[in-house]
């Protein structure tokens, strides 16, 4: 018997926990938190343990599949690439590049190979039809941060280790483990905050696990956060509580904000928010008078029609209470690699722009290089020049994760050609002509590209593969390069490694000019994402600068730290003005486009509120649409239930545990699903909560465990036409429903 111990960062959610994995005779024997991990200190959740089930899942794809006569049959990699070459380039030759589309999903954010090589495929396709799960998620936050601070990933993060008041809006980190904020063991950190006399306050239409832990919880009417936040800021001006603190000389637009928010008095918004005006005033005073306080908001505030405005107002509030860039307030991470706000010219930049092109059918503007994912369906359906005929999906399941999934499923069947890179034959990939399996996380190296830029503490951690991969299984970055080569007419036979070498040389020349040769020599022997990582670390803010800063970080040094839990780079520190990348070199508190958009909210202040609306939720044993096939997570009570307040249940004659019919009116007509009722006083009256990512009862999938308890698809009720016009983000909550008991 041989037993080895490995240390591996968990790739399943944004908390990025360091795990200790015991392997016995080639099999995973146990998974637990790595106590010595400098960042997560031994924390683990049930999904981390499920990495074993994921690795061993018999339904996880291990060979490519090609659809022949409507049935997916196993194929070799050579056959799969040949099939793509046979079908994709001719289509592009006849119909043009915009006849292709590409969608990338959530798992890509957790895999360096997918994240850093996906753009190469998108560029090779040359289509403007690039979509991602970002427009089902955090695009509003990225746009607001970009407009204010100059870069899409310059997100202000609560300094949880030092704050005395944390206001959490529309997030449930006890279930989600945090998002746009990498903070493993949120619960432990929140309890430590309380133990030192601090307070946690939660605003949510549901008394969530996080709200239950909090010192105060206020229900809010779904979708009303913009009004609450505007009234909080309004109160600061009204009661002369505005205080900028140390960043005062770097902030533009304070007076403009005060003027623009004048209509939003607490009294004016109280009915819309269902929060008493006095409570709003009190909260504003508390935020202003607590020297160390932070406001954090997440997906509940993004997936609504005012997503960008709400995200912006969160940081306006942080700024005007003197908590921006202040210890105990909100700070910016300084990540060791891949961080645009920690490299290049400091203190000023190009800022962000949107609308460099527009969606053909809806006219929606491009944001961060993408179009809204909810536009995909009409781009496939609508005839004309630029109609999407071929689609590539990369780690995404929009049939379940995107509003009006059933309409999308139908549209996917009308495509001329579809390729999916995925690990399952699921609700989306069943439509693909070719499926190319991804690698089990345990067979891949890991370094987080994005999340150190969003981390509660600075760190650099690298994990080597835990287990060897199958000999013929390409890395996902190699698959992406092959697809790129096919799209560019170079054929399926190209050598991905040679292509990578050539592209690396070109990139090095662009980035380092005369210094390129030195960089190429210094990284001899590396390739793929590992080579890109070495360069990013060495050229990064803690790097060895390829010799100019001896003792600085290199990939080798970070690799060496693996067994000791990685390298701690210290607590977050104030970074203004150095991290700014706005053209003015200042924080833009009042971006004109947002002030303009605010007029929508002014006009909407007194809009009638529906009697019953639906929102989403997350459960710690689930992850979006794709972990319902793992035994350790699937066991236990049914998690896809519709939580209904007792008063609503009584009024609608709904019984606990019984099935109910839930219906909406959408722009594509009436929609309905059937879901199991769970009566719960956790809910705000008039609000129903149902998790997304369920509905595993569609034909043609291979998810045997998930299919046993399929659950209902929340997104089958939602409208693909409802978006935040600024960011293109989908509206996923606050949608009016009717509900009745099923006989
Ligand atoms: N109503 C409602 N809808 C929502 C949300 C909500 O709150 N409410 N949340 C939204 C959010 S925040 C997000 S991020 C999206 C997610 O939207 P998606 O990214 O579309 O959905 P996931 O369920 O994360 O699907 C991940 C896909 O990647 C595959 N996969 C998993 N691991 C790998 C891998 O290593 N390699 C490859 N190639 N594939 C892999 C899985 O099999 C699955 O098909 O859902 C959104 N949808
Ligand atoms: N266990 C688990 N963890 C996950 C995921 C998962 O599916 N399962 N998904 C991952 C992904 S992709 C993401 S993006 C993150 C998301 O991380 P979080 O943002 O923490 O996500 P949720 O747990 O859905 O919390 C959102 C909260 O917003 C509330 N809410 C809904 N509508 C409104 C509203 O209009 N206003 C306010 N104020 N609140 C509202 C909901 O009741 C819910 O409690 O989680 C990640 N982690
Ligand atoms: S919280 Fe759970 S799923 Fe998220 S990284 Fe940690 S162990 Fe993995
Ligand atoms: Mo997400």
């Amino acid at each position: 018997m041989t037993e080895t111990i490995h240390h591996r960062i968990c790739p399943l959610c944004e908390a990025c926990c360091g795990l200790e994995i015991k392997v016995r005779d080639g099999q995973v024997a146990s998974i637990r938190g790595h106590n010595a991990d400098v960042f997560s200190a031994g924390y683990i959740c049930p999904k981390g343990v499920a990495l074993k089930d994921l690795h061993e899942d018999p339904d996880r794809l291990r060979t490519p599949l090609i659809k022949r006569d409507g049935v997916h049959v196993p194929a070799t990699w050579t056959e799969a690439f040949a099939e793509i070459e046979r079908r994709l380039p001719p289509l592009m030759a006849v119909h043009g590049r915009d006849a292709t589309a590409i969608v990338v999903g959530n798992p890509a954010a957790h895999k360096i190979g997918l994240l850093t090589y996906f753009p190469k495929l998108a560029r090779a396709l040359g289509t403007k039809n690039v979509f991602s799960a970002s427009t089902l998620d955090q695009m509003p936050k990225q746009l607001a941060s970009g407009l204010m601070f100059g870069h899409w990933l310059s997100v202000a993060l609560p300094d949880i280790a030092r704050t005395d008041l944390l206001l959490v809006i529309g997030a449930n980190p006890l279930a989600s483990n945090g998002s746009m904020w990498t903070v493993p063991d949120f619960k432990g950190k929140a309890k430590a905050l309380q133990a030192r006399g601090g307070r946690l306050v939660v605003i949510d239409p549901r008394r969530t696990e996080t709200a239950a832990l909090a010192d105060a919880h206020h229900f809010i009417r779904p979708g009303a956060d913009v009004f609450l936040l505007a009234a909080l800021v309004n109160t600061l001006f009204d009661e002369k509580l505005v205080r900028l603190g140390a960043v005062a000389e770097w902030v533009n637009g304070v007076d403009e904000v005060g003027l623009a928010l004048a209509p939003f008095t607490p009294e004016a918004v109280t009915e819309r928010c269902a929060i008493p005006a006095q409570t709003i005033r009190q909260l504003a005073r508390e935020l202003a008078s607590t020297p160390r306080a932070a406001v954090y908001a997440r997906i509940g505030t993004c997936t609504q029609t005012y997503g960008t405005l709400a995200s912006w107002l969160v940081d306006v509030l942080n700024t005007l209470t003197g908590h921006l860039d202040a210890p105990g307030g909100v700070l910016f991470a300084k990540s060791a690699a891949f961080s645009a706000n920690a490299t290049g010219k400091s203190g000023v930049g190009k800022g962000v722009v949107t609308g460099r092109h527009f969606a053909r059918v809806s006219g929606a503007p491009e944001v961060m290089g993408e179009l809204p994912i909810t536009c995909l369906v009409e781009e496939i359906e609508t005839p004309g020049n630029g109609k999407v005929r071929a689609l590539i999906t990369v780690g995404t399941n929009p049939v379940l994760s995107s509003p009006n999934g059933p309409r999308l499923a139908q549209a996917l069947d009308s495509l001329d050609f579809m390729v999916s890179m995925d690990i399952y034959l699921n609700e989306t990939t069943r439509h693909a002509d070719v499926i190319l399996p991804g690698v089990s996380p345990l067979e891949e190296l890991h370094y987080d590209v994005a999340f150190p830029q969003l981390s509660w503490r600075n760190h650099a951690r690298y994990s080597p593969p835990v287990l060897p991969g199958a000999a013929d299984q390409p890395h996902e970055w190699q698959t992406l390069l092959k697809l790129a080569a096919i799209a560019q007419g170079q054929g399926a036979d190209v050598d991905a490694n040679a292509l990578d070498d050539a592209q690396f040389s070109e990139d090095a020349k662009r980035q380092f000019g005369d210094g390129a040769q030195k960089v190429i020599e210094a990284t001899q022997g590396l390739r793929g994402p590992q080579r890109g990582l070495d360069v990013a670390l060495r050229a990064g803010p803690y790097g060895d600068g390829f010799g100019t800063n001896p003792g600085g970080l290199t990939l080798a040094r970070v690799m060496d730290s693996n067994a000791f839990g990685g390298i701690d780079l210290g607590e977050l520190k104030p970074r203004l003005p150095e991290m700014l990348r706005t053209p003015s070199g200042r924080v833009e508190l009042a971006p004109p486009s947002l002030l303009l958009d605010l007029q929508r909210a002014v006009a909407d202040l007194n809009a009638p509120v529906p009697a019953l609306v639906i929102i989403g939720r997350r459960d710690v044993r689930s992850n979006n649409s794709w972990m319902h096939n793992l035994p350790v997570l699937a066991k236990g009570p049914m998690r896809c239930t519709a939580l209904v307040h007792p008063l609503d249940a009584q009024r609608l004659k709904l019984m606990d545990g019984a099935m109910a019919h839930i219906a909406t009116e959408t722009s594509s007509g009436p929609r309905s699903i059937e879901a199991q009722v769970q009566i719960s006083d956790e809910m705000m009256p008039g609000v129903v909560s149902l998790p997304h990512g369920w509905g595993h009862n569609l034909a043609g999938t291979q998810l045997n465990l998930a299919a046993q308890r399929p659950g209902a698809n929340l997104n089958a009720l939602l409208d693909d036409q409802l978006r935040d016009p600024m960011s293109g983000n989908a509206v996923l909550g606050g949608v009016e429903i009717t509900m009745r008991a099923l006989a």
Side-chain angles (χ1 to χ4, degrees), residues 265-277:
T265 61
E267 292 70 23
V269 305
T270 174
E271 207 169 299
R272 189 64 202 272
C273 299
I275 302 180

Side-chain angles (χ1 to χ4, degrees), residues 536-573:
L537 282 167
R538 299 178 75 170
Y542 312 87
D544 83 337
F546 295 96
T548 58
N549 178 30
L553 291 188
T554 62
L555 175 60
R557 287 202 179 104
V558 178
M559 284 171 87
D560 284 346
S561 73
N562 172 256
F564 314 106
I567 296 175
D568 177 39
L569 295 169
E571 59 195 7
L572 306 193
K573 294 194 181 77

Side-chain angles (χ1 to χ4, degrees), residues 220-296:
I220 185 170
R221 203 165 259 143
D225 302 85
V226 66
F227 303 105
L228 168 69
L229 287 157
L232 288 168
V233 178
N234 175 290
T235 304
L236 298 178
F237 282 98
D238 182 47
E239 302 192 3
K240 308 223 166 0
L241 301 172
V242 171
R243 186 177 65 89
L244 288 162
V247 301
E249 62 176 308
W250 305 110
V251 178
N252 274 346
V254 176
D255 295 342
E256 287 89 330
V257 167
L259 270 175
L261 296 180
F264 299 93
T265 61
E267 292 70 23
V269 305
T270 174
E271 207 169 299
R272 189 64 202 272
C273 299
I275 302 180
Q278 256 323 302
T279 306
I280 300 176
R281 286 192 182 277
Q282 195 50 43
L283 201 51
R285 288 174 199 147
E286 253 184 89
L287 284 168
S289 64
T290 307
R292 293 175 171 225
V295 185
Y296 165 71

Side-chain angles (χ1 to χ4, degrees), residues 105 410 529 630 643:
Q410 212 164 21
L630 308 179
L643 297 181

Side-chain angles (χ1 to χ4, degrees), residues 648-660:
D648 291 318
Q650 198 178 28
R651 180 169 60 89
L652 300 165
K653 303 192 172 54
L654 301 172
M655 303 287 284
D656 191 66
M659 297 299 284

Side-chain angles (χ1 to χ4, degrees), residues 719-743:
D719 194 332
D720 54 70
Q721 296 296 306
L722 290 182
R723 289 189 282 272
D724 165 27
M726 295 294 297
S727 64
N729 209 85
V731 173
L732 302 175
V735 171
E736 181 167 15
I737 56 166
T738 55
M739 213 170 163
R740 64 175 164 77
L742 276 174

